[in-house]
Amino acid sequence: MTKQEDNKAVVVRWFTDFWGETCDLSVVDAVAAPDMLLKYSLHEPRRGRDDIKAFMTDFRAAFPDLNFWATADLIAEGDYVVGQWEGGGTHTGPAFGDFLTGSLPAATGRAMRFTGTTVLKVIDGRIVEEIGLDDGVAALTQLGLIKAA
């Protein structure tokens, strides 16, 4: 396999096991670099395996049906893999205060569904950074944290 194919395989595993319908946090130790950066527009940047695990634990507690899936083939070049996705969930769990624009009280019942594009940097089989641009306006509007114009 080429480096790009190897990197795509790492990202597929990450998208499936971390962001997919069910989350297996052991994937963080398996494929994330110890000081991995996870950065999306809706949340404060997260760094390191423990911080990333805590983020996902809280996110999935608040949104138990959280799920993201690919909407296009992955593109790989050098150390980078780019993926397009769609996803979301329903806030039926505890209060969630991780959004930069505000917090949700417990179990609002509000659903969010949105899209995005993510660029991951993979070095020696480990993800060192995941930086995504998502349609945060759609998600935050659906959750009632910002008002539609």
Side-chain angles (χ1 to χ4, degrees):
M1 287 181 37
T2 67
K3 175 182 179 175
Q4 286 76 21
E5 290 170 329
D6 289 343
N7 289 348
K8 282 183 181 181
V10 168
V11 169
V12 165
R13 182 173 179 201
W14 181 255
F15 281 174
T16 302
D17 294 346
F18 186 75
W19 289 109
E21 188 173 1
T22 59
C23 180
D24 178 359
L25 289 178
S26 69
V27 75
V28 176
D29 295 322
V31 301
D35 63 343
M36 178 185 164
L37 172 65
L38 178 70
K39 185 176 177 183
Y40 281 90
S41 61
L42 292 174
H43 311 276
E44 288 286 340
R46 300 300 189 113
R47 183 169 296 277
R49 291 176 179 159
D50 289 341
D51 196 24
I52 291 169
K53 287 178 191 177
F55 160 74
M56 186 54 77
T57 298
D58 293 345
F59 203 4
R60 287 188 183 267
F63 295 84
D65 63 345
L66 188 69
N67 186 18
F68 294 91
W69 55 92
T71 59
D73 291 339
L74 294 173
I75 300 167
E77 181 69 32
D79 294 331
Y80 293 92
V81 179
V82 179
Q84 293 178 302
W85 49 265
E86 181 178 342
T90 306
H91 180 234
T92 57
F96 187 66
D98 191 67
F99 292 121
L100 291 175
T101 60
S103 299
L104 294 171
T108 65
R110 292 180 174 264
M112 63 176 179
R113 187 162 177 163
F114 59 109
T115 61
T117 301
T118 300
V119 179
L120 299 100
K121 186 174 185 179
V122 182
I123 296 178
D124 296 329
R126 300 282 185 160
I127 300 170
V128 298
E129 63 183 38
E130 174 179 359
I131 299 176
L133 180 59
D134 51 46
D135 187 1
V137 171
L140 296 172
T141 301
Q142 293 165 31
L143 294 172
L145 291 172
I146 59 175
K147 297 200 182 288

